[in-house]
Amino acid sequence: MPFLGQDWRSPGQSWVKTADGWTRFLDEKSGGYVGDISSFCKKDDHNKENLFNSLNYDVAAKKRKKDLLNNKAKIQYFHQEKWIYVHKGSTKERHGYCTLGEAFNRLDFSSAILDSRRFNYVVRLLELIAKSQLTSLSGIAQKNYMNILEKVVQKVLEDQQNIRLIRELLQTLYTSLCTLVQRVGKSVLVGNINMWVHRMESILHWQQQLNNIQITRPAFKGTTFTDLPLCLQLNIMQRLSDGRDLVSLGQVAPDLQVLSEDRLLWKKLCQYHFTDRQIRKRLILSDKGHLDWKKMYFKLIRCYPRKEQYGDTLQLCRHCHILSWKGTDHPCTANNPETCSTSLSPQDFINLFRF
């Protein structure tokens, strides 16, 4: 039946499905002939109906063509070149054609984690999404997020590097999911609740695997770090940007413990991450009346964000608004493409899609 819920036929009429669609016929008992359409449909009305349908088809075809052109104009992505076009129009157009989840899917983060220069950048991006942007991702983007996270964990388990970094990421994600799962029924997560419970179990399993890692001392009989002159050891320590790494390094040997307490070392670390104004607000004096730069550092990181540094970042071309990894060329039409590129931190990347 062409009409659902009610029978709109007059007495003596029946509907038959033909190659052109559903057609109404008169039964023989009502005085008509089966298949005689002209017995109940006037020619003029038939022509008006065909004209009306033709106009509707033209309007629909034009609308589909316009939408297709808009899609091509607002988003361009080439898998081989690894770049994506970010539309800079109105909020409605940006939201309709280029969301965070869409950009997250199209930029090749799975390959980026294999590059040591981009690894920390991707991990930081995953952490920021886990904190506040997880519900803004589509179902496909959330699935892609978990797949990338699994690859990150597997890489850390194989290389036995960046263990603490991934532990913090997993803990942040698990805490966020615990909060979101409690709000089930409010459309905050895409998919069945059992699927998310299974993903949370996977996170706990990954955390257990990271906790069970036992780093073995390599069988190397050459020069070690402690064999270097003290000036070189101190020079290497000054290149560590995380104070927790300094503390861990100082626990290796008594000589390194002394070097890791160097006041100048912690002073440079504080000045690298924080401004003079922030430092003046968190001054701590030692028993001897000197500034305790080590205690000040750990107090400052609880109050202010640390300076982020990455070997490679995403670049935004201000001329054509194309996102790409540093060192990846795109067909820019500017006279000086090099001057149009701006490095984006992970937070800057997320801010591009805030509406």
Side-chain angles (χ1 to χ4, degrees), residues 10 36 47 108 113 140 142 172 198 218 225 240 249 254 308 330:
S10 300
D36 186 9
N47 292 336
D108 194 2
I113 62 176
I140 297 178
Q142 290 177 356
T172 300
H198 175 71
F225 182 76
L240 298 178
L249 185 59
E308 299 179 3
H330 67 273

Side-chain angles (χ1 to χ4, degrees), residues 35-90:
D36 186 9
I37 302 178
S38 61
S39 60
F40 60 87
C41 182
K42 295 181 181 180
K43 185 175 182 180
D44 292 341
D45 294 340
H46 183 68
N47 292 336
K48 291 180 181 179
E49 184 178 358
N50 289 339
L51 179 60
F52 180 74
N53 291 335
S54 178
L55 291 175
N56 286 340
Y57 294 151
D58 291 340
V59 172
K62 290 180 179 180
K63 187 176 184 302
R64 287 194 298 269
K65 184 177 180 180
K66 182 179 179 180
D67 291 342
L68 181 62
L69 293 176
N70 287 339
N71 285 333
K72 290 182 178 180
K74 292 176 175 60
I75 290 183
Q76 301 175 12
Y77 173 74
F78 296 87
H79 180 72
Q80 298 298 329
E81 297 295 337
K82 304 293 186 303
W83 54 268
I84 182 172
Y85 178 88
V86 181
H87 181 62
K88 302 298 289 184
S90 65

